[in-house]
Each structure stands twice: as C-alpha cells, then as structure tokens.
Amino acid sequence: MNEAIIEIQELSKIYDDVPAVDKLSLSIQKGEIFGLLGPNGAGKSTTIFMLLGLTEPTSGNVHVCGIDPTRNPLEVKKRVGYLPDDLGFYQNMTGYENLLYTASLNEIPREEAEKRARSLLEQVGLEGAMHKKTGKYSRGMKQRLGLADVLIKNPEVIILDEPTLGIDPEGVRELLSLINKLNKEKNITVLLSSHHLHQVQQICDRVGIFVKGKLLAKGNMDDLAGQLFKNEAYIVHVEADPIDDYMVNDIKGMKEVSRVEQLNHNTMEIYCDKDITPTIARTVMSYDINLTNISKKNYGLDEIYHLYFEGRETNEA
Ligand SMILES: Nc1ncnc2c1ncn2[C@@H]1O[C@H](COP(=O)(O)OP(=O)(O)OP(=O)(O)O)[C@@H](O)[C@H]1O
C-alpha cells in the first residue's frame, strides 16, 4: 500500500480573497480508505471538485491516478467514480435502466453494461428492486444504487461526499460495510467526506481533520492521538490493591511516563508516550500487590476531533 493514487501539493482555492482550501498537501495510497472529516464549510467539497477537475485550483498541484485533473478532466472522470451528496436518478426509470444509462454515457458496450449492471445490483443488495422505478426507492436504496452507479465504469478510485446523509442507522451500517467490502475485494481506493465521526472511525484507514481550508492533522487514530496528546498519547488504567507510594514513584520515574493520576485508593491512570502496559504490569506485580485490572484506554475520534476544535471557531459545525 505505498503507491500514491491521489497526490496533492500545496493546493489552494481562493474565493473573493478568502481561501476555501489553503495550501493543502496530502497523499492517499492505492487501496486506502481515507476519511476527510470536518465541519460544514471546511473545504471538503471544494477539494473534491479540484480532484475531479470541476474547479480550477488557484495554486498548487493535484494528480489523480497520475493525471492532472485541471488539464485532463475527462481522463480522470474515466478512472474516478464520484458519488455527490445530492445524487439524482431519473425517477421514472428503474434502477437497472439508470445504470444502463450511466454505462452508455461511459461508452460501455450494451452487452457488457447489462452484465455489470446485474452483477452490481446484486452486490449492493438491490437485485429484488432492480425493475422498480427509482422514484420509489428509499434514500438508503438510492445511495446503494449510487454506489453501483459509480462502480459501473470499474473505477480505480471512488469519492463519496457524505454518503450516509439521511439514511437510518441500519442503512448506514449496511452502506459502510458495503464500502468496506468493495474496498477489500476490488482494492478500490476510497475517499470519503463526512462529519460523522463514528462512521469515519469505523471504516477509514486514515483520517484527515479539515478546518477552514486547512488540514490540521492526518493519520490513523494512534497517529492523531500522538500528534494531539504528544507525550500522553497512551493512558494505562490500573486497579490494584493497595496503590503503594513507592510503586507510584517507581512508575513516575519511567522515561515514557509523563504523569500518574490517582483516582482513588485502588485506581490510577498513567499517561505515557508509548504503550508500556506490560512493563507497568510487571512493576506492579513486583511489589507483591494485588493487581485486579490493567488496560490501555484508547482515545476515540470524538475526543480527538473535539480537542482539535477546542478554542477554535466552530460555529459552522
Ligand atoms: N463557488 C463558490 N464561490 C464562493 N465561495 C465558495 C464557493 N464554493 C465554496 N465556497 C466557500 O468555500 C468554503 C468551503 O466550502 P465547501 O463547500 O468546500 O465546504 P465543505 O467542507 O464541503 O462543507 P459542507 O460539508 O457544508 O459541504 C465555504 O466558506 C464556502 O462558502
């Protein structure tokens, strides 16, 4: 997974002297699921439009599958499937007919198009509704049809703008697992924009936190926690009876430990820059103390995201 399929360098888009995207640099690897996370107005859609060649950058460079979308938008369009947040289908046509229509726009021969449409409708769980008019589809069904629609041209990359908007929790779960499955089975790179933390956390390999046109941080959950909490990226929760002062001093003296917080007579939390849970367990045991529980506490994307926004203007969020 170390072949960049989306390469963005110092990319900016300025509207009326205000940067919508501000010197963005980002590499997305082939086969990765990358989540672009940020509040409304952060610049996610503008970034996506520049990747698709729908908006011209003010400055900087962008390459998708090795192609510059500003110069060659049609070549990018052949390789990239884009599912906008407000996707529309011809309401009076069935799901199957809509897919065949998209296939014809992409110059896929009829016989091949029929084969792909049937297979995709099956993959997205719409085989039973393929001959139903899309005007009668639920929002979740339309999103699943949308996925089939972007996949009909066998893209290398799919870009999904708020794909779960307006879908009920069960529909969200199904759609996310479908995206995950497609990514794993077909090695399709997925760029997904969202402001739903939990959904992003569930399926993305890496996340970029985007605010006011700037990428504040990027990485997997551990990287993000590391960047944000620096020398306190890990918390080891210990329950032991009793918590002995000598033992606490011993732990405080470890080079990885920044502080120890004693919550009550038998519980403490140890903040450290590495996961040293086994070392801490051994130290506690060496004091002949009854260790009843030891676990690593993980920061969730919720904590990470909100901490990034602490003290920032987030009134659009
Ligand atoms: N065509 C345009 N003309 C002027 N300003 C624009 C234009 N398109 C976007 N903007 C501004 O650029 C900023 C970024 O908007 P963008 O739509 O990219 O954000 P977003 O993160 O996708 O938000 P959302 O989640 O609401 O879609 C906003 O302040 C928006 O008002």
Side-chain angles (χ1 to χ4, degrees), residues 13-16 18-21 38-49 55 85 161-162 193-195 210 212-213 316:
K13 177 72 187 180
I14 299 178
Y15 288 117
D16 307 324
V18 181
V21 175
N40 294 329
K44 304 181 297 289
S45 300
T46 305
T47 303
I48 290 174
F49 293 161
T55 297
D85 59 353
D161 202 352
E162 293 285 357
S193 118
S194 179
H195 45 246
F210 214 33
K212 296 202 169 212
E316 316 98 302

mmCIF file of all heavy atoms in Angstrom, residues 13-16 18-21 38-49 55 85 161-162 193-195 210 212-213 316, ligand 1:
data_model
loop_
_atom_site.group_PDB
_atom_site.id
_atom_site.type_symbol
_atom_site.label_atom_id
_atom_site.label_comp_id
_atom_site.label_asym_id
_atom_site.label_seq_id
_atom_site.Cartn_x
_atom_site.Cartn_y
_atom_site.Cartn_z
ATOM 1 N N LYS A 13 -7.509 27.068 -3.086
ATOM 2 C CA LYS A 13 -8.591 27.655 -3.874
ATOM 3 C C LYS A 13 -9.074 28.876 -3.112
ATOM 4 O O LYS A 13 -9.475 28.770 -1.939
ATOM 5 C CB LYS A 13 -9.740 26.648 -4.051
ATOM 6 C CG LYS A 13 -10.917 27.213 -4.806
ATOM 7 C CD LYS A 13 -10.607 27.382 -6.278
ATOM 8 C CE LYS A 13 -11.695 28.107 -7.021
ATOM 9 N NZ LYS A 13 -11.374 28.258 -8.456
ATOM 10 N N ILE A 14 -8.999 30.025 -3.770
ATOM 11 C CA ILE A 14 -9.382 31.262 -3.085
ATOM 12 C C ILE A 14 -10.624 31.849 -3.754
ATOM 13 O O ILE A 14 -10.663 32.001 -4.982
ATOM 14 C CB ILE A 14 -8.205 32.262 -3.099
ATOM 15 C CG1 ILE A 14 -7.044 31.607 -2.344
ATOM 16 C CG2 ILE A 14 -8.597 33.603 -2.473
ATOM 17 C CD1 ILE A 14 -5.784 32.371 -2.277
ATOM 18 N N TYR A 15 -11.650 32.085 -2.957
ATOM 19 C CA TYR A 15 -12.873 32.744 -3.447
ATOM 20 C C TYR A 15 -12.933 34.123 -2.800
ATOM 21 O O TYR A 15 -12.935 34.207 -1.563
ATOM 22 C CB TYR A 15 -14.123 31.971 -3.014
ATOM 23 C CG TYR A 15 -14.360 30.658 -3.732
ATOM 24 C CD1 TYR A 15 -14.341 29.462 -3.020
ATOM 25 C CD2 TYR A 15 -14.647 30.616 -5.096
ATOM 26 C CE1 TYR A 15 -14.587 28.254 -3.659
ATOM 27 C CE2 TYR A 15 -14.899 29.404 -5.727
ATOM 28 C CZ TYR A 15 -14.863 28.239 -5.007
ATOM 29 O OH TYR A 15 -15.117 27.044 -5.637
ATOM 30 N N ASP A 16 -12.992 35.162 -3.583
ATOM 31 C CA ASP A 16 -13.113 36.541 -3.061
ATOM 32 C C ASP A 16 -12.115 36.802 -1.933
ATOM 33 O O ASP A 16 -12.503 37.209 -0.826
ATOM 34 C CB ASP A 16 -14.541 36.798 -2.521
ATOM 35 C CG ASP A 16 -15.599 36.457 -3.559
ATOM 36 O OD1 ASP A 16 -15.345 36.704 -4.757
ATOM 37 O OD2 ASP A 16 -16.661 35.906 -3.170
ATOM 38 N N VAL A 18 -10.815 34.942 0.063
ATOM 39 C CA VAL A 18 -10.880 34.048 1.234
ATOM 40 C C VAL A 18 -10.525 32.629 0.788
ATOM 41 O O VAL A 18 -11.137 32.104 -0.148
ATOM 42 C CB VAL A 18 -12.302 34.048 1.864
ATOM 43 C CG1 VAL A 18 -12.345 33.148 3.091
ATOM 44 C CG2 VAL A 18 -12.736 35.466 2.209
ATOM 45 N N PRO A 19 -9.514 32.016 1.419
ATOM 46 C CA PRO A 19 -9.175 30.648 0.996
ATOM 47 C C PRO A 19 -10.226 29.634 1.446
ATOM 48 O O PRO A 19 -10.534 29.546 2.633
ATOM 49 C CB PRO A 19 -7.823 30.371 1.668
ATOM 50 C CG PRO A 19 -7.611 31.428 2.675
ATOM 51 C CD PRO A 19 -8.636 32.516 2.487
ATOM 52 N N ALA A 20 -10.782 28.902 0.485
ATOM 53 C CA ALA A 20 -11.694 27.790 0.814
ATOM 54 C C ALA A 20 -10.841 26.569 1.102
ATOM 55 O O ALA A 20 -11.172 25.727 1.937
ATOM 56 C CB ALA A 20 -12.640 27.515 -0.341
ATOM 57 N N VAL A 21 -9.708 26.451 0.381
ATOM 58 C CA VAL A 21 -8.711 25.398 0.629
ATOM 59 C C VAL A 21 -7.368 26.120 0.664
ATOM 60 O O VAL A 21 -7.059 26.926 -0.217
ATOM 61 C CB VAL A 21 -8.734 24.329 -0.488
ATOM 62 C CG1 VAL A 21 -7.626 23.308 -0.286
ATOM 63 C CG2 VAL A 21 -10.095 23.630 -0.524
ATOM 64 N N GLY A 38 -14.608 17.057 8.636
ATOM 65 C CA GLY A 38 -14.591 18.471 9.006
ATOM 66 C C GLY A 38 -15.982 19.044 9.012
ATOM 67 O O GLY A 38 -16.892 18.489 8.401
ATOM 68 N N PRO A 39 -16.153 20.166 9.696
ATOM 69 C CA PRO A 39 -17.480 20.788 9.777
ATOM 70 C C PRO A 39 -17.907 21.387 8.437
ATOM 71 O O PRO A 39 -17.095 21.457 7.506
ATOM 72 C CB PRO A 39 -17.287 21.889 10.819
ATOM 73 C CG PRO A 39 -15.832 22.186 10.802
ATOM 74 C CD PRO A 39 -15.130 20.929 10.414
ATOM 75 N N ASN A 40 -19.146 21.843 8.363
ATOM 76 C CA ASN A 40 -19.630 22.491 7.141
ATOM 77 C C ASN A 40 -18.732 23.678 6.804
ATOM 78 O O ASN A 40 -18.305 24.411 7.685
ATOM 79 C CB ASN A 40 -21.052 23.027 7.335
ATOM 80 C CG ASN A 40 -22.048 21.906 7.528
ATOM 81 O OD1 ASN A 40 -21.869 20.818 6.987
ATOM 82 N ND2 ASN A 40 -23.079 22.160 8.304
ATOM 83 N N GLY A 41 -18.465 23.822 5.517
ATOM 84 C CA GLY A 41 -17.678 24.978 5.084
ATOM 85 C C GLY A 41 -16.175 24.792 5.248
ATOM 86 O O GLY A 41 -15.401 25.715 5.013
ATOM 87 N N ALA A 42 -15.746 23.595 5.658
ATOM 88 C CA ALA A 42 -14.312 23.377 5.904
ATOM 89 C C ALA A 42 -13.502 23.347 4.604
ATOM 90 O O ALA A 42 -12.287 23.567 4.623
ATOM 91 C CB ALA A 42 -14.111 22.073 6.656
ATOM 92 N N GLY A 43 -14.153 23.052 3.493
ATOM 93 C CA GLY A 43 -13.438 22.998 2.227
ATOM 94 C C GLY A 43 -13.376 21.600 1.637
ATOM 95 O O GLY A 43 -12.661 21.349 0.658
ATOM 96 N N LYS A 44 -14.155 20.682 2.191
ATOM 97 C CA LYS A 44 -14.112 19.291 1.714
ATOM 98 C C LYS A 44 -14.601 19.198 0.262
ATOM 99 O O LYS A 44 -13.936 18.611 -0.585
ATOM 100 C CB LYS A 44 -14.971 18.378 2.608
ATOM 101 C CG LYS A 44 -14.588 18.432 4.079
ATOM 102 C CD LYS A 44 -15.436 17.503 4.933
ATOM 103 C CE LYS A 44 -16.910 17.809 4.968
ATOM 104 N NZ LYS A 44 -17.283 19.025 5.708
ATOM 105 N N SER A 45 -15.768 19.794 -0.001
ATOM 106 C CA SER A 45 -16.326 19.688 -1.358
ATOM 107 C C SER A 45 -15.430 20.402 -2.366
ATOM 108 O O SER A 45 -15.218 19.903 -3.474
ATOM 109 C CB SER A 45 -17.734 20.285 -1.425
ATOM 110 O OG SER A 45 -18.565 19.600 -0.537
ATOM 111 N N THR A 46 -14.901 21.559 -1.978
ATOM 112 C CA THR A 46 -14.017 22.290 -2.903
ATOM 113 C C THR A 46 -12.803 21.424 -3.255
ATOM 114 O O THR A 46 -12.392 21.357 -4.421
ATOM 115 C CB THR A 46 -13.574 23.626 -2.256
ATOM 116 O OG1 THR A 46 -14.749 24.339 -1.870
ATOM 117 C CG2 THR A 46 -12.749 24.461 -3.205
ATOM 118 N N THR A 47 -12.268 20.733 -2.260
ATOM 119 C CA THR A 47 -11.120 19.837 -2.517
ATOM 120 C C THR A 47 -11.532 18.744 -3.501
ATOM 121 O O THR A 47 -10.828 18.459 -4.477
ATOM 122 C CB THR A 47 -10.627 19.209 -1.191
ATOM 123 O OG1 THR A 47 -10.293 20.263 -0.307
ATOM 124 C CG2 THR A 47 -9.436 18.296 -1.399
ATOM 125 N N ILE A 48 -12.690 18.144 -3.243
ATOM 126 C CA ILE A 48 -13.172 17.068 -4.121
ATOM 127 C C ILE A 48 -13.356 17.596 -5.539
ATOM 128 O O ILE A 48 -12.943 16.952 -6.515
ATOM 129 C CB ILE A 48 -14.487 16.470 -3.551
ATOM 130 C CG1 ILE A 48 -14.181 15.691 -2.277
ATOM 131 C CG2 ILE A 48 -15.189 15.600 -4.583
ATOM 132 C CD1 ILE A 48 -15.404 15.165 -1.544
ATOM 133 N N PHE A 49 -13.936 18.778 -5.679
ATOM 134 C CA PHE A 49 -14.149 19.345 -7.024
ATOM 135 C C PHE A 49 -12.817 19.550 -7.752
ATOM 136 O O PHE A 49 -12.724 19.340 -8.955
ATOM 137 C CB PHE A 49 -14.912 20.678 -6.943
ATOM 138 C CG PHE A 49 -16.337 20.532 -6.473
ATOM 139 C CD1 PHE A 49 -17.039 21.617 -5.971
ATOM 140 C CD2 PHE A 49 -16.991 19.301 -6.529
ATOM 141 C CE1 PHE A 49 -18.356 21.478 -5.525
ATOM 142 C CE2 PHE A 49 -18.310 19.154 -6.087
ATOM 143 C CZ PHE A 49 -18.985 20.247 -5.586
ATOM 144 N N THR A 55 -13.381 22.198 -10.571
ATOM 145 C CA THR A 55 -12.998 23.551 -10.152
ATOM 146 C C THR A 55 -11.502 23.676 -10.362
ATOM 147 O O THR A 55 -10.752 22.742 -10.038
ATOM 148 C CB THR A 55 -13.300 23.754 -8.640
ATOM 149 O OG1 THR A 55 -14.689 23.640 -8.447
ATOM 150 C CG2 THR A 55 -12.841 25.113 -8.148
ATOM 151 N N ASP A 85 -23.337 14.312 -2.678
ATOM 152 C CA ASP A 85 -24.285 14.153 -1.563
ATOM 153 C C ASP A 85 -25.732 14.317 -2.031
ATOM 154 O O ASP A 85 -26.651 13.854 -1.389
ATOM 155 C CB ASP A 85 -23.947 15.083 -0.375
ATOM 156 C CG ASP A 85 -23.964 16.549 -0.766
ATOM 157 O OD1 ASP A 85 -24.096 16.844 -1.961
ATOM 158 O OD2 ASP A 85 -23.840 17.393 0.138
ATOM 159 N N ASP A 161 -19.167 11.834 -1.227
ATOM 160 C CA ASP A 161 -19.400 13.043 -0.450
ATOM 161 C C ASP A 161 -20.597 12.797 0.478
ATOM 162 O O ASP A 161 -21.715 12.622 -0.001
ATOM 163 C CB ASP A 161 -19.684 14.216 -1.413
ATOM 164 C CG ASP A 161 -19.412 15.563 -0.769
ATOM 165 O OD1 ASP A 161 -19.162 15.600 0.449
ATOM 166 O OD2 ASP A 161 -19.446 16.578 -1.485
ATOM 167 N N GLU A 162 -20.339 12.728 1.757
ATOM 168 C CA GLU A 162 -21.392 12.489 2.758
ATOM 169 C C GLU A 162 -22.305 11.324 2.350
ATOM 170 O O GLU A 162 -23.524 11.503 2.223
ATOM 171 C CB GLU A 162 -22.243 13.754 2.957
ATOM 172 C CG GLU A 162 -21.515 14.901 3.594
ATOM 173 C CD GLU A 162 -21.295 14.734 5.091
ATOM 174 O OE1 GLU A 162 -21.768 13.733 5.678
ATOM 175 O OE2 GLU A 162 -20.626 15.590 5.658
ATOM 176 N N SER A 193 -15.947 11.865 2.343
ATOM 177 C CA SER A 193 -16.046 13.080 3.144
ATOM 178 C C SER A 193 -17.246 12.965 4.069
ATOM 179 O O SER A 193 -18.291 12.445 3.680
ATOM 180 C CB SER A 193 -16.168 14.290 2.215
ATOM 181 O OG SER A 193 -17.382 14.946 2.411
ATOM 182 N N SER A 194 -17.066 13.420 5.292
ATOM 183 C CA SER A 194 -18.148 13.240 6.259
ATOM 184 C C SER A 194 -17.954 14.146 7.465
ATOM 185 O O SER A 194 -16.840 14.602 7.722
ATOM 186 C CB SER A 194 -18.155 11.791 6.731
ATOM 187 O OG SER A 194 -19.159 11.586 7.678
ATOM 188 N N HIS A 195 -19.033 14.418 8.199
ATOM 189 C CA HIS A 195 -18.785 14.962 9.522
ATOM 190 C C HIS A 195 -19.351 14.050 10.601
ATOM 191 O O HIS A 195 -19.544 14.455 11.728
ATOM 192 C CB HIS A 195 -19.205 16.435 9.679
ATOM 193 C CG HIS A 195 -20.527 16.796 9.130
ATOM 194 N ND1 HIS A 195 -20.667 17.657 8.064
ATOM 195 C CD2 HIS A 195 -21.756 16.420 9.465
ATOM 196 C CE1 HIS A 195 -21.948 17.787 7.792
ATOM 197 N NE2 HIS A 195 -22.627 17.049 8.625
ATOM 198 N N PHE A 210 -10.065 18.456 8.824
ATOM 199 C CA PHE A 210 -10.042 19.595 7.927
ATOM 200 C C PHE A 210 -10.856 20.726 8.541
ATOM 201 O O PHE A 210 -12.023 20.554 8.875
ATOM 202 C CB PHE A 210 -10.715 19.116 6.637
ATOM 203 C CG PHE A 210 -10.169 19.691 5.393
ATOM 204 C CD1 PHE A 210 -8.842 20.020 5.270
ATOM 205 C CD2 PHE A 210 -11.003 19.896 4.301
ATOM 206 C CE1 PHE A 210 -8.340 20.544 4.102
ATOM 207 C CE2 PHE A 210 -10.518 20.414 3.117
ATOM 208 C CZ PHE A 210 -9.182 20.737 3.026
ATOM 209 N N LYS A 212 -11.540 25.062 8.108
ATOM 210 C CA LYS A 212 -11.267 26.334 7.433
ATOM 211 C C LYS A 212 -10.190 26.208 6.373
ATOM 212 O O LYS A 212 -9.231 26.984 6.339
ATOM 213 C CB LYS A 212 -10.873 27.384 8.464
ATOM 214 C CG LYS A 212 -12.022 27.657 9.408
ATOM 215 C CD LYS A 212 -11.888 28.984 10.071
ATOM 216 C CE LYS A 212 -13.191 29.247 10.758
ATOM 217 N NZ LYS A 212 -13.689 30.458 10.913
ATOM 218 N N GLY A 213 -10.341 25.193 5.543
ATOM 219 C CA GLY A 213 -9.438 25.030 4.405
ATOM 220 C C GLY A 213 -8.090 24.436 4.727
ATOM 221 O O GLY A 213 -7.275 24.209 3.846
ATOM 222 N N GLU A 316 -19.781 27.032 12.629
ATOM 223 C CA GLU A 316 -20.464 26.451 11.456
ATOM 224 C C GLU A 316 -20.701 24.968 11.645
ATOM 225 O O GLU A 316 -21.416 24.355 10.894
ATOM 226 C CB GLU A 316 -19.656 26.593 10.151
ATOM 227 C CG GLU A 316 -19.005 27.893 9.874
ATOM 228 C CD GLU A 316 -17.554 27.844 10.269
ATOM 229 O OE1 GLU A 316 -17.248 27.576 11.452
ATOM 230 O OE2 GLU A 316 -16.709 28.075 9.407
HETATM 231 N N1 LIG B 1 -18.418 28.877 -5.773
HETATM 232 C C1 LIG B 1 -18.091 29.456 -4.616
HETATM 233 N N2 LIG B 1 -17.996 30.798 -4.525
HETATM 234 C C2 LIG B 1 -17.648 31.405 -3.356
HETATM 235 N N3 LIG B 1 -17.373 30.729 -2.208
HETATM 236 C C3 LIG B 1 -17.464 29.390 -2.242
HETATM 237 C C4 LIG B 1 -17.825 28.674 -3.442
HETATM 238 N N4 LIG B 1 -17.821 27.350 -3.166
HETATM 239 C C5 LIG B 1 -17.477 27.231 -1.854
HETATM 240 N N5 LIG B 1 -17.262 28.440 -1.307
HETATM 241 C C6 LIG B 1 -16.855 28.704 0.085
HETATM 242 O O1 LIG B 1 -15.734 27.913 0.368
HETATM 243 C C7 LIG B 1 -15.773 27.402 1.707
HETATM 244 C C8 LIG B 1 -15.632 25.881 1.677
HETATM 245 O O2 LIG B 1 -16.841 25.302 1.165
HETATM 246 P P1 LIG B 1 -17.015 23.745 0.876
HETATM 247 O O3 LIG B 1 -18.356 23.569 0.245
HETATM 248 O O4 LIG B 1 -15.836 23.254 0.144
HETATM 249 O O5 LIG B 1 -17.017 23.148 2.353
HETATM 250 P P2 LIG B 1 -17.429 21.694 2.845
HETATM 251 O O6 LIG B 1 -16.400 21.297 3.849
HETATM 252 O O7 LIG B 1 -17.640 20.787 1.707
HETATM 253 O O8 LIG B 1 -18.796 21.950 3.585
HETATM 254 P P3 LIG B 1 -20.155 21.056 3.548
HETATM 255 O O9 LIG B 1 -19.925 19.941 4.499
HETATM 256 O O10 LIG B 1 -21.154 22.046 4.046
HETATM 257 O O11 LIG B 1 -20.394 20.652 2.128
HETATM 258 C C9 LIG B 1 -17.064 27.891 2.308
HETATM 259 O O12 LIG B 1 -16.791 29.049 3.081
HETATM 260 C C10 LIG B 1 -17.911 28.253 1.094
HETATM 261 O O13 LIG B 1 -18.801 29.298 1.390
#
